[in-house]
């Protein structure tokens, strides 16, 4: 790395010392048969509460694009795509997913409530329930998923503002997942629930 141009011959193979030639083929992706389960209503917005890692935020942007998240609210110290590390991991999805910066998470959540959003907090609290036992009954009500710092979790005031508290069950020794990984599990399961209620 970096890859050589097609047909360019390097001086020596680092292993055997012989002449080498590198051929770079474009990645064309994999065709997937669509089954109708990609329906994207109702709208989902996401609140990132004081997530410190720019790489995690970039990864969340990338996953949000795949899950057709409507809007990301970057709150507190959460870095924005203006920071190169976010853009590096987002791989262009920072240009396809709308986002807004808020200094105060509760202000962002209050604005969502005023727009009739149901707010779901992703947090392994004692009174939370497994996300896999959660259901969506109203296909027309939009909802927002709130995720926070992996170490400190969501602020108690933020949790109190949530309509439901959900967690991802952990079966090993560790009690939590990396925030970007947990977010990926949660947002795709919520999208799956949306597709099921639309199918009926």
């Amino acid at each position: 790395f970096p890859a050589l141009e097609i047909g360019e011959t390097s001086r020596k193979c680092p292993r055997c010392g012989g002449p080498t030639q590198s051929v770079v083929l474009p990645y064309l992706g994999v065709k997937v048969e669509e089954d109708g389960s990609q329906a994207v209503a109702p709208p989902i917005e996401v609140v990132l509460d004081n997530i410190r890692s720019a790489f995690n935020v970039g990864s969340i942007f990338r996953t949000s694009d795949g899950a057709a998240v409507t809007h990301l609210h970057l709150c507190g110290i959460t870095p924005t795509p203006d920071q190169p590390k976010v853009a590096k991991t987002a791989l262009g999805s920072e240009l396809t997913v709308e986002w807004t910066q808020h200094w105060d998470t509760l202000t962002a959540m209050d604005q969502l409530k005023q727009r009739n959003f149901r707010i779901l907090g992703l947090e392994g609290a004692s009174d939370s329930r497994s996300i896999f036992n959660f259901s969506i009954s109203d296909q027309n009500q939009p909802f927002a998923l709130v995720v926070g710092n992996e170490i400190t979790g969501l602020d108690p005031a933020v949790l109190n503002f949530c309509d439901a508290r959900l967690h991802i069950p952990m079966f090993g020794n560790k009690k939590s997942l990396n925030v970007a990984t947990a977010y990926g599990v949660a947002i795709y399961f919520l999208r799956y629930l949306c597709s099921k209620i639309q199918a009926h």
Side-chain angles (χ1 to χ4, degrees), residues 3-200:
L4 300 172
E5 295 297 326
I6 293 177
E8 182 178 343
T9 303
S10 64
R11 294 182 180 177
K12 291 183 180 179
C13 169
R15 189 164 200 169
C16 71
T20 61
Q21 185 176 44
S22 175
V23 178
V24 182
L25 299 175
Y27 175 66
L28 302 176
V30 178
K31 289 210 168 207
V32 178
E33 293 295 325
E34 301 293 350
D35 61 0
S37 63
Q38 71 278 10
V40 295
I44 301 177
E45 298 193 12
V46 173
V47 178
L48 305 185
D49 177 40
N50 290 298
I51 295 180
R52 184 177 299 275
S53 167
F55 293 122
N56 279 336
V57 173
S59 179
I60 287 171
F61 263 94
R62 184 88 184 275
T63 303
S64 297
D65 177 81
V69 167
T70 321
H71 201 101
L72 284 175
H73 300 271
L74 313 179
C75 302
I77 64 169
T78 303
T80 69
D82 300 327
Q83 296 197 20
K85 290 180 180 178
V86 173
K88 180 177 181 180
T89 317
L91 291 175
S93 58
E94 75 279 13
L95 304 176
T96 61
V97 179
E98 293 185 359
W99 60 273
T100 306
Q101 185 178 33
H102 308 265
W103 295 118
D104 180 44
T105 305
L106 290 176
T107 299
M109 294 173 71
D110 185 57
Q111 292 171 0
L112 287 166
K113 283 264 183 141
Q114 291 177 27
R115 293 166 54 208
N116 195 37
F117 272 73
R118 186 179 184 194
I119 300 181
L120 313 174
L122 188 63
E123 176 72 23
S126 57
D127 59 348
S128 67
R129 59 177 160 156
S130 168
I131 193 170
F132 303 121
N133 294 330
F134 181 69
S135 62
I136 298 173
S137 56
D138 185 351
Q139 68 178 28
N140 297 312
Q141 184 180 22
F143 60 89
L145 178 66
V146 186
V147 295
N149 185 283
E150 181 184 347
I151 304 301
T152 59
L154 291 174
D155 185 280
V158 170
L159 272 177
N160 289 336
F161 214 95
C162 294
D163 298 304
R165 304 177 186 187
L166 308 172
H167 67 266
I168 297 170
M170 301 296 295
F171 302 105
N173 294 321
K174 295 296 183 179
K175 302 304 178 188
S176 68
L177 294 170
N178 166 273
V179 64
T181 302
Y183 172 71
V185 172
I187 201 69
Y188 267 91
F189 182 72
L190 292 173
R191 269 297 175 218
Y192 167 78
L193 292 180
C194 292
S195 71
K196 289 303 178 186
I197 60 173
Q198 288 184 319
H200 290 86

